[in-house]
Amino acid sequence: MQSQIRDLSLAPSGWVKINWVKAHMPILNSLEEEFRQTKPFQGKKVAICLHLEAKTAYMAQVIAAGGATVAVAASNPLSTQDDVVAALVDSGITAFAWHGATAEEYTNHIHQLAQFKPDLFIDDGGDLTNVLHNHYQEILKDIIGGCEETTTGIIRLRSMANDKALKIPMIAVNDALSKYFFDNRYGTGQSVWDAIMRTTNLVVAGKTVVVVGYGWCGKGTAMRAKGLGAKVIVTEIDPIKAMEAMMDGFSVMPLIEAAPLGDYFITVTGNKSVIAYEHLAAMKDKAILANAGHFDVEIDKNALEKLSSSITPGKPNITEYHLTNGRTLYLLGEGRLVNLSAGDGHPAEIMDLTFGLQTLSLVHLLHNPNLAAAVYSVPKEIDQRVALLKLKALSIKIDKLTPEQEAYLNSWQV
Ligand code: ADE
């Protein structure tokens, strides 16, 4: 199939970015070396619908090194880096994506990816899974399986499975310990603040940061805000997570009470309209709004428009909403996940773990081609292997259970 991208001549800059991350992703380095020998994906087509930046590109190349024919499309129109996509095409991978694709173009690219008829696929947020199930039933029956990267996508998959609508085995990569302990917590924690700081160039210390949602991504975002010297408020709907936030040392209150206090608001819930009209109307002048959830639905942009007398573009990745009450609110990255729309995503060393899990989960699907249509966990051996590969790369050794200790743990008689 013919690639649909912005400009192939951008490839040299994309290669520089890919080579940089490659030097910092030892798990993928070792899998690449292994796959070059073993060719686990020989003769298979692998579709990848992820944020198309350098780390993703390197994973796509590792899978291609394992013998696969690979095609990619974006999982978000603003996170696509055109130079990286050009480098992918330069390396023989088919791509359907460009930065700033309209909603129609974005969907069309995912349709192209479905028409590539993959044997295996990796999704982030569930858009490819949805398009395949809603429009390409005839292709579904030949798909061995797929992996899903993110919390939002897994919520969608579970509701599909409950409705008996899911027709293929899917591995919930997000639920692996080596994923959410590191990617969701430390990856989001760092990349969200990296994006906010590089976009605004404003101070965080001494400011009030409101983190909306205290899942693993919210925990990382709040933890890093604290480390930057902010006063942190957490808002939650889950009593246990609210307790946890309180015991982690954060103020906890309803969002409507936090609204007039915050200098920064960061949504990390996976839900829609969590920052709604009444919250926006109560915010102080020059408050900064950012979303770190997968879709751009968490901050109600319609409500922002209704409250505004004018809307003007600010610095790159900042939209200024001038409210009829005389205040201005700043929305970063159009309310799309800020770390990828206004930054480069999680650090390479973190995505190394996540993409190690993705890649090995695809191999697991290949070795188990007759799994029933359902949502599966990443096998524990893969989770542990990825963590061990990382420790090895860091030259960190750990202890082993003695045979007596193992026997002790496995016995119920004292
Ligand atoms: N880079 C590629 N995919 C990513 C993701 N899901 N989150 C953060 N950074 C990424």
Side-chain angles (χ1 to χ4, degrees):
M1 290 172 86
Q2 186 71 32
S3 289
Q4 295 175 10
I5 68 166
R6 181 84 72 202
D7 183 357
L8 189 57
S9 74
L10 299 172
S13 145
W15 276 115
V16 171
K17 292 180 178 175
I18 296 171
N19 287 334
W20 169 257
V21 299
K22 188 170 171 172
H24 301 280
M25 299 182 85
I27 299 176
L28 286 190
N29 296 159
S30 69
L31 292 177
E32 182 178 13
E33 210 177 295
E34 176 186 321
F35 289 173
R36 282 196 187 285
Q37 311 299 323
T38 57
K39 298 278 178 204
F41 300 112
Q42 195 65 49
K44 296 287 181 250
K45 291 200 268 181
V46 177
I48 296 177
C49 184
L50 290 179
H51 299 290
L52 295 180
E53 49 87 26
K55 281 97 69 183
T56 311
Y58 179 41
M59 175 179 65
Q61 292 174 342
V62 169
I63 294 170
T69 305
V70 180
V72 304
S75 62
N76 179 311
L78 280 195
S79 60
T80 303
Q81 298 188 14
D82 288 322
D83 52 356
V84 171
V85 173
L88 271 178
V89 172
D90 191 41
S91 68
I93 286 171
T94 307
F96 312 104
W98 50 75
H99 180 84
T102 62
E104 199 182 325
E105 289 165 347
Y106 171 80
T107 309
N108 181 42
H109 290 151
I110 296 182
H111 277 265
Q112 300 284 319
L113 191 59
Q115 288 161 23
F116 165 71
K117 298 190 180 161
D119 297 292
L120 293 159
F121 70 93
I122 302 178
D123 205 359
D124 184 352
D127 284 346
L128 176 59
T129 309
N130 268 9
V131 164
L132 281 166
H133 279 76
N134 291 334
H135 302 277
Y136 298 95
Q137 298 272 338
E138 74 288 358
I139 291 177
L140 276 182
K141 63 177 177 2
D142 296 323
I143 296 182
I144 299 167
C147 298
E148 170 55 53
E149 167 120 344
T150 197
T151 319
T152 299
I154 290 170
I155 292 170
R156 280 177 161 189
L157 282 180
R158 295 231 152 88
S159 40
M160 285 175 82
N162 285 342
D163 289 349
K164 309 251 179 301
L166 185 66
K167 301 292 177 219
I168 37 182
M170 291 292 300
I171 298 190
V173 168
N174 189 68
D175 291 356
L177 299 179
S178 301
K179 164 74 166 64
Y180 64 76
F181 273 175
F182 309 113
D183 174 318
N184 298 27
R185 183 168 42 172
Y186 296 104
T188 306
Q190 178 165 332
S191 62
V192 160
W193 283 107
D194 167 23
I196 293 175
M197 291 193 295
R198 72 163 90 164
T199 303
T200 63
N201 194 21
L202 295 174
V203 79
V204 182
K207 301 266 181 76
T208 298
V209 169
V210 180
V211 178
V212 186
Y214 205 62
W216 287 102
C217 296
K219 284 196 232 299
T221 306
M223 175 173 69
R224 289 291 170 256
K226 188 176 177 177
L228 287 163
K231 290 170 253 171
V232 183
I233 299 173
V234 170
T235 74
E236 247 304 335
I237 43 94
D238 179 310
I240 298 172
K241 290 182 183 162
M243 279 283 295
E244 189 183 9
M246 183 274 289
M247 293 217 182
D248 286 346
F250 301 116
S251 301
V252 177
M253 64 183 76
L255 184 52
I256 196 64
E257 286 176 27
L261 307 178
D263 298 294
Y264 294 90
F265 292 83
I266 303 159
T267 52
V268 218
T269 69
N271 209 339
K272 65 181 286 203
S273 302
V274 289
I275 295 190
Y277 188 95
E278 62 276 20
H279 308 119
L280 296 162
M283 285 177 187
K284 61 180 167 188
D285 190 30
K286 301 198 171 87
I288 291 166
L289 305 171
N291 167 48
H294 185 78
F295 288 115
D296 61 339
V297 296
E298 306 209 10
I299 300 168
D300 187 343
K301 288 192 270 186
N302 287 333
L304 259 177
E305 279 173 30
K306 277 193 201 130
L307 282 159
S308 301
S309 52
S310 68
I311 303 170
T312 51
K315 228 158 97 59
N317 289 319
I318 302 181
T319 311
E320 303 186 355
Y321 289 82
H322 306 286
L323 273 47
T324 50
N325 66 14
R327 300 172 198 153
T328 296
L329 299 179
Y330 302 118
L331 179 67
L332 307 192
E334 298 177 11
R336 298 185 188 276
L337 81 178
V338 70
N339 52 345
L340 281 143
S341 58
D344 289 322
H346 296 351
E349 299 100 318
I350 297 274
M351 291 314 291
D352 194 28
L353 288 152
T354 304
F355 288 158
L357 289 167
Q358 296 278 22
T359 309
L360 289 172
S361 294
L362 287 188
V363 176
H364 174 77
L365 285 166
L366 268 183
H367 291 163
N368 296 274
N370 297 317
L371 291 175
V375 183
Y376 293 87
S377 301
V378 173
K380 189 169 171 207
E381 314 79 72
I382 292 183
D383 211 356
Q384 299 244 320
R385 179 172 171 205
V386 165
L388 273 173
L389 280 170
K390 190 58 147 193
L391 288 172
K392 188 167 165 222
L394 296 167
S395 304
I396 296 173
K397 297 194 178 93
I398 59 170
D399 292 321
K400 275 204 172 84
L401 290 175
T402 63
E404 295 77 31
Q405 287 171 326
E406 240 176 275
Y408 177 79
L409 289 179
N410 288 326
S411 71
W412 56 273
Q413 284 162 321
V414 189

